[in-house]
């Protein structure tokens, strides 16, 4: 399911102990890097038509982007899938491409070069899927939209956030009550002192000093 959360709530102490994708018990963690680029940067794309403009737009976009890294709990299944995709990325992108290119040089067959290019594309696909294992979008207001998150993870995270907010509210109420009590005690002490001082002034000086 899709869910909107805020970056301030995506901290380790508010993370459930289940996988964000499968809802199963988590055994490790994975990082998800998100980036938000302001819309005005896209108005600079016409500069990319110039040779120097491409580098300039890339530098501006990198400097203006807001980046955030989230540490998510993941299950053994998700961790194993990542290792499998890494092996496939290296297998197709490196080993397969090199082997087919060497075969193309030896045999001078265009088919080998075509298969080498296809192997490279497949390897890059698996490498990209390894990095973007979880789909998310970062907004300008700090809101993160997670795609296909586990309903179990969403429910447990919501419960943790609500409990955290309740604890903060209770702490704020306690602090407010404590401040009110301190203020009331100070006011009472001042009133007592004022009454004692007024009584002393009304009684006059001690009899021995007349």
């Amino acid at each position: 399911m899709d869910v909107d959360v805020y970056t301030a709530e995506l901290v380790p102490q508010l993370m459930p102990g289940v996988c964000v994708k499968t809802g199963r018990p988590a055994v490790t963690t994975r990082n998800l890097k998100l980036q938000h680029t302001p819309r005005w940067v896209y108005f600079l794309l016409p500069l990319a038509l110039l040779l120097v403009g491409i580098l300039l737009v890339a530098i501006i976009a990198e400097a203006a982007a807001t980046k955030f890294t989230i540490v998510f709990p993941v299950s053994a299944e998700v961790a194993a899938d990542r290792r499998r995709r890494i092996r496939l990325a290296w297998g197709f992108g490196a080993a397969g491409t090199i082997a087919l290119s060497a075969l193309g040089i030896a045999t001078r067959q265009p088919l080998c070069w075509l298969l080498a290019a296809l192997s490279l594309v497949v390897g890059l696909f698996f490498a990209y899927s390894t990095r973007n294992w979880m789909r998310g979008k970062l907004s300008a207001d700090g809101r993160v939209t997670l795609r296909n998150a586990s309903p179990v993870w969403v429910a447990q995270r919501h419960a943790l956030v609500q409990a955290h907010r309740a604890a903060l509210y209770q702490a704020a109420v306690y602090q407010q009550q404590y401040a009110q009590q301190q203020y009331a005690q100070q006011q009472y002490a001042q009133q007592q002192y004022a009454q004692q001082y007024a009584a002393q002034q009304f009684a006059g000086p001690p009899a021995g000093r007349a």
Side-chain angles (χ1 to χ4, degrees):
M1 62 181 298
D2 297 347
V3 60
D4 291 335
V5 293
Y6 284 92
T7 54
E9 299 174 349
L10 293 173
V11 292
Q13 56 267 33
L14 295 180
M15 282 290 180
V18 296
C19 179
V20 66
K21 292 194 69 174
T22 63
R24 298 178 180 177
V27 298
T28 184
T29 58
R30 284 206 61 187
N31 294 342
L32 178 64
K33 296 181 179 180
L34 300 176
Q35 178 174 312
H36 171 73
T37 303
R39 294 183 178 180
W40 58 265
V41 174
Y42 297 102
F43 291 100
L44 302 177
L45 289 179
L47 294 177
L49 299 177
L50 304 176
L51 182 61
V52 181
I54 298 176
L55 180 60
L56 179 62
V57 171
I59 294 175
I60 295 177
E62 184 70 16
T66 301
K67 300 178 182 180
F68 189 75
T69 301
I70 311 171
V71 182
F72 283 114
V74 294
S75 62
E77 179 184 356
V78 175
D81 181 70
R82 177 178 181 271
R83 291 192 295 268
R84 180 180 63 86
R85 291 178 179 272
I86 290 177
R87 289 194 297 267
L88 290 173
W90 280 103
F92 283 99
T97 303
I98 294 175
L100 290 172
S101 298
L103 183 62
I105 295 175
T107 60
R108 297 182 180 180
Q109 293 292 331
L111 180 61
C112 294
W113 292 105
L114 179 62
L115 292 176
L118 181 61
S119 179
L120 178 61
V121 172
V122 173
L124 292 175
F125 168 77
F126 281 113
Y128 177 80
S129 64
T130 301
R131 183 175 181 180
N132 296 272
W133 61 278
M134 186 78 184
R135 294 178 59 191
K137 180 181 179 182
L138 178 62
S139 302
D141 58 352
R143 187 177 70 255
V144 177
T145 302
L146 295 177
R147 306 291 185 184
N148 300 324
S150 168
V152 177
W153 181 88
V154 173
Q156 292 191 14
R157 190 208 66 87
H158 179 73
L160 288 174
V161 170
Q162 293 300 319
H164 179 69
R165 290 177 178 176
L168 291 178
Y169 176 77
Q170 292 294 334
V173 171
Y174 174 78
Q175 291 292 338
Q176 184 178 8
Q177 292 177 349
Y178 178 77
Q180 291 176 352
Q181 291 176 358
Q182 292 293 108
Y183 178 76
Q185 291 176 0
Q186 292 177 0
Q187 292 295 318
Y188 178 77
Q190 291 177 1
Q191 291 177 1
Q192 291 295 320
Y193 176 79
Q195 291 176 1
Q196 293 176 2
Y197 180 78
Q200 292 177 359
Q201 293 294 326
F202 178 78
R209 299 181 183 179

